[in-house]
Amino acid sequence: MTDTASAHIPGDDKHLRILSTTDLAGIDISLADVVATVEGAYRTLQAGRSDNPRKLTVKPQDGHSVSYAMLGRDGSREVVAIKTSYKHGLDKGREEQHYYTSLTLYDDVTGLPVAMMDCSRIGSLRTPAVSALLARELAAPGARTALVIGTGTQGRLALPFLLTTLPDLDRLLLSGTHPEGIAAVREQLRTHFPDRDVELVTDLRAAAADADVIVATAGGHTPAAVEASWLKPGALSVLVGHGLAPSTLHEADRVIATSEAQMNVTGTDMADAEGKLPAVDAEFPPVIAGVSSGRTGAGERIFAYNSGLVVTDIALGHRFAQLALAQGLGTEVALWQ
């Protein structure tokens, strides 16, 4: 990947470049580029050069929707951004839900707007890249078997990203029930790794017992719930969505979170009977920077909580904006005149 992190995107104080879902879908970016961009964002944050405040959350009492707002600054790219996320229909099936997320970037050197973009593809790449980095840093030595739970947006690229950071994985397992999702997982895997295939599992307990790495990405209505007692010594469980029972957190030998503050906001469904979550042993930015220990023993069962940090969205969004500008993509809107 060419290092263009410090390149500033030209603009003016009258117009805003809008990058649509279609614009971003046409941009070719490698999995390795995504991983490197996300890792760089973590390292810059740990170095104290970026800011990632706690997200704001709004949720009605009946729980039918949830909204988030996240402000941050990337110190290596010198970009400020705000991300918004709104999901409606949490009490309904997946086909009836509505989800909108956007990212607006500003150049903190020139003071000019960079772009506003649909953030769905950014998130669909950033999240599995983080899971893959967690696996790289926290999986037991010699890890060979990976299990992905769920076939939605986050599950479809989980295996290709895991193979990017852990190329020695030789058994890939999938737990899912939606035929279209299963087909999409297989399609994505063959797109990036044509010689690999995935085993569809029907006995989740047996699959979890075999897995060195488990990535749980399922939706809130999933019946899947891997228990701590099912896990082998040394197993790593990464929670992205749903699919792990609270015992995997509370009985873990070690707990790592991308952000403890955000885990306490968005991970309440993993609380114990008293409504409490355990303290984390380490956050991921210092782990990836080598400042804190991740795994401290080969037999440790580790629980990792993957919640998005906006600095990773900013870094990847800025990367997409650079690539889009180079291809002449996007629409200029005269927003401030």
Side-chain angles (χ1 to χ4, degrees):
M1 166 182 123
T2 302
D3 183 8
T4 56
S6 61
H8 300 291
I9 297 174
D12 60 51
D13 60 358
K14 303 296 182 185
H15 297 82
L16 179 64
R17 180 180 293 267
I18 305 295
L19 296 173
S20 68
T21 304
T22 302
D23 291 328
L24 298 176
I27 294 175
D28 186 27
I29 187 169
S30 71
L31 302 186
D33 191 338
V34 174
V35 169
T37 300
V38 171
E39 181 173 359
Y42 276 124
R43 291 181 178 275
T44 304
L45 178 63
Q46 176 56 30
R49 296 168 54 202
S50 294
D51 295 292
N52 195 103
R54 181 172 170 172
K55 67 171 66 174
L56 298 176
T57 308
V58 174
K59 192 172 186 177
Q61 289 186 354
D62 65 4
H64 75 270
S65 70
V66 64
S67 307
Y68 299 108
M70 294 146 276
L71 174 69
R73 184 181 188 279
D74 183 310
S76 65
R77 295 171 178 269
E78 297 183 284
V79 172
V80 172
I82 185 165
K83 178 184 176 182
T84 61
S85 176
Y86 171 64
K87 181 175 282 190
H88 182 277
L90 298 180
D91 54 342
K92 301 176 182 177
R94 183 185 303 176
E95 67 283 352
E96 297 179 82
Q97 293 181 356
H98 299 279
Y99 178 58
Y100 309 97
T101 179
S102 63
L103 181 71
T104 306
L105 301 156
Y106 300 89
D107 189 315
D108 201 31
V109 172
T110 66
L112 299 176
V114 174
M116 179 179 183
M117 65 186 69
D118 167 43
C119 202
S120 57
R121 189 178 180 205
I122 305 300
S124 71
L125 292 169
R126 175 264 288 157
T127 303
V130 173
S131 294
L133 286 167
L134 287 163
R136 188 190 74 188
E137 297 297 321
L138 302 175
R144 290 292 184 270
T145 301
L147 166 65
V148 171
I149 302 171
T151 61
T153 300
Q154 297 304 332
R156 296 177 184 185
L157 278 169
L159 290 170
F161 272 106
L162 283 173
L163 287 171
T164 300
T165 61
L166 291 177
D168 291 336
L169 291 172
D170 56 24
R171 190 178 180 206
L172 308 176
L173 309 178
L174 176 67
S175 174
T177 57
H178 298 280
E180 290 183 2
I182 294 168
V185 169
R186 286 200 161 109
E187 179 185 1
Q188 288 291 341
L189 180 59
R190 288 169 179 164
T191 295
H192 296 282
F193 293 90
D195 60 335
R196 303 301 302 269
D197 201 357
V198 62
E199 299 176 40
L200 185 64
V201 302
T202 55
D203 186 338
L204 182 59
R205 181 169 187 159
D210 287 340
D212 299 298
V213 177
I214 299 173
V215 180
T217 73
H221 297 288
T222 183
V226 171
E227 296 285 352
S229 60
W230 302 0
L231 303 175
K232 65 194 292 188
L236 167 66
S237 303
V238 180
L239 184 62
V240 177
H242 299 269
L244 298 178
S247 63
T248 57
L249 167 60
H250 295 276
E251 298 177 27
D253 298 308
R254 195 160 174 80
V255 177
I256 309 294
T258 48
S259 166
E260 183 171 22
Q262 290 194 188
M263 186 176 86
N264 288 331
V265 171
T266 59
T268 54
D269 58 318
M270 297 293 283
D272 63 15
E274 298 179 354
K276 296 181 179 179
L277 293 171
V280 307
D281 294 290
E283 291 190 318
F284 193 49
V287 169
I288 204 169
V291 176
S292 297
S293 297
R295 176 175 292 276
T296 60
E300 286 180 328
R301 294 182 178 93
I302 296 181
F303 177 94
Y305 190 81
N306 178 355
S307 60
L309 298 186
V310 74
V311 290
T312 58
D313 294 289
I314 294 171
L316 195 54
H318 188 259
R319 180 77 179 122
F320 268 90
Q322 291 173 317
L323 294 170
L325 181 67
Q327 297 176 40
L329 298 174
T331 302
E332 292 284 347
V333 176
L335 185 61
W336 294 289
Q337 70 176 28

